[in-house]
Amino acid sequence: MKHSSLALLLATSLSASTSPATAFVLSKPASNSRSLVARSLFNMKKEFAAPCVMGDEEIMSKKAHGTSDVPVQKNLRWNCDYDTADRICNFNRHYAEYAGYWTSTSFVEEARKEYAEKGEITFYDSNTGKPLFVAPKGRDLESFLKESASHGWPR
């Protein structure tokens, strides 16, 4: 059953492209899940528009503190749990915090304040403190929070 499902998935993915070659060499990033599965199966890199840069597997190699040179910062925003953040950021390859964890923090209250003051919320790297991204983009705060609640994580 698994093999036939995989074959069907690959056949569907390949038939969605204009030629078999485009399933393996895409000039633009594909956004559908079939393409992402095909990329994953064939160890293909997904490309993103600048300023995003995809790293190689070496990024996740063992370092002084898990996959980082340093642990997460002690005073994390939104009263995030240090141990949870450190485990996810530095000793983890596949998962994040449980869905809805963000609702147990002060994120919503503090995000509302920051959005009211600045019109956006800046998210920072837990290890370095460098800005990673701002949200919401192309929508208001309520839409952002509603989608985040639906998804399980701020997005």
Side-chain angles (χ1 to χ4, degrees), residues 2-155:
K2 288 181 182 178
H3 295 293
S4 62
S5 297
L6 179 61
L8 177 61
L9 179 64
L10 285 173
T12 304
S13 179
L14 291 174
S15 67
S17 60
T18 55
S19 74
T22 57
F24 298 98
V25 181
L26 297 173
S27 60
K28 296 191 301 189
S31 60
N32 66 45
S33 60
R34 285 179 283 180
S35 294
L36 295 176
V37 170
R39 287 178 187 284
S40 176
L41 290 171
F42 295 106
N43 205 18
M44 298 168 60
K45 272 190 175 179
K46 183 172 181 184
E47 298 197 13
F48 297 88
C52 295
V53 176
M54 289 299 293
D56 294 326
E57 277 295 306
E58 188 170 311
I59 288 174
M60 299 302 289
S61 66
K62 186 162 176 51
K63 298 178 182 67
H65 189 79
T67 55
S68 178
D69 289 327
V70 296
V72 296
Q73 301 172 76
K74 289 289 184 184
N75 296 316
L76 297 169
R77 294 178 81 187
W78 309 312
N79 297 313
C80 290
D81 180 69
Y82 173 86
D83 291 331
T84 300
D86 196 49
R87 179 176 36 81
I88 291 166
C89 295
N90 299 310
F91 298 95
N92 175 42
R93 286 293 308 257
H94 302 288
Y95 304 102
E97 67 279 2
Y98 61 86
Y101 168 77
W102 62 282
T103 62
S104 71
T105 69
S106 61
F107 172 75
V108 174
E109 178 184 341
E110 292 182 39
R112 286 187 189 285
K113 289 179 189 172
E114 186 174 347
Y115 183 80
E117 292 172 11
K118 301 177 183 175
E120 63 187 21
I121 306 157
T122 303
F123 291 78
Y124 297 89
D125 182 274
S126 299
N127 289 62
T128 66
K130 293 179 182 178
L132 290 177
F133 62 93
V134 297
K137 291 285 190 180
R139 59 195 161 159
D140 63 18
L141 179 64
E142 293 310 312
S143 298
F144 169 74
L145 293 174
K146 184 177 178 181
E147 184 178 342
S148 297
S150 171
H151 180 68
W153 291 270
R155 60 180 275 156

